[in-house]
Amino acid sequence: MRLDLIAVGTKPPKWVREGYNEYAERLGRGWRLSLTEVAAARSNNAAQVAEREADGLLRAVKDGVPCIAFDERGEALSTRQWAEHFDIWSHHGGRAALLIGGAGGLAPAVLQRADRRWSLSPLTLPHMLVRVLVAEQVYRAWTLLSGHPYHRG
């Protein structure tokens, strides 16, 4: 399973890089989580910022790859449900794109392109923290599917 994490922001703090890498490097048995960073846009107009960032996010998504947009208004899934989706995708192409917007969220074009919209929480989370949360949940899903004892829930 190859998961392309495509995220707005090119200069994460050290703790974000370390947290993301910790979980991405733990994956095994044919799973890979790769990060593509998209430059954050600057403007006083929030809609313009989201649109500019959308261009970069959408360019990074490979054709025909299922796309998940993280959005606070998306579907709230359990870790087991994440694992079920990844298991299905691993048998149908073996790849998915996971999109994280910038501080202003995702533009309508990104939400329209997404095959699914997932919520990590009803809270508004810092977009850099979301990288770490997604990496940990991907790792946790892998542990469920591979029988690793990490997940005890």
Side-chain angles (χ1 to χ4, degrees):
M1 181 76 203
R2 179 178 173 149
L3 297 166
D4 303 317
L5 181 61
I6 305 165
V8 172
T10 56
K11 296 179 183 176
K14 181 180 177 184
W15 66 268
V16 170
R17 287 190 310 273
E18 289 174 348
Y20 169 84
N21 288 335
E22 174 70 26
Y23 293 108
E25 291 169 4
R26 286 186 187 185
L27 291 170
R29 296 189 199 156
W31 279 53
R32 183 170 165 225
L33 178 63
S34 63
L35 175 64
T36 300
E37 294 179 320
V38 173
R42 303 212 188 290
S43 173
N44 290 333
N45 182 316
Q48 280 183 339
V49 167
E51 290 300 325
R52 289 180 191 154
E53 292 170 350
D55 290 340
L57 288 167
L58 294 174
R59 272 196 307 272
V61 177
K62 306 293 183 215
D63 288 338
V65 172
C67 181
I68 296 93
F70 290 101
D71 179 64
E72 66 189 41
R73 293 167 301 276
E75 182 180 9
L77 301 177
S78 69
T79 299
R80 289 192 187 282
Q81 289 170 313
W82 276 50
E84 290 168 7
H85 283 288
F86 292 149
D87 191 40
I88 291 166
W89 291 325
S90 73
H91 294 95
H92 294 95
R95 192 169 193 170
L98 310 172
L99 306 181
I100 301 171
L106 294 167
V110 174
L111 297 174
Q112 288 171 357
R113 165 57 179 94
D115 297 290
R116 296 189 138 309
R117 290 166 61 177
W118 290 358
S119 172
L120 295 174
S121 168
L123 300 171
T124 300
L125 300 170
H127 64 283
M128 289 292 182
L129 176 61
V130 171
R131 291 182 189 197
V132 179
L133 293 173
V134 168
E136 192 279 338
Q137 285 298 295
V138 166
Y139 174 69
R140 188 174 291 272
W142 172 79
T143 65
L144 275 167
L145 294 172
S146 65
H148 187 284
Y150 178 79
H151 180 75
R152 292 178 179 89

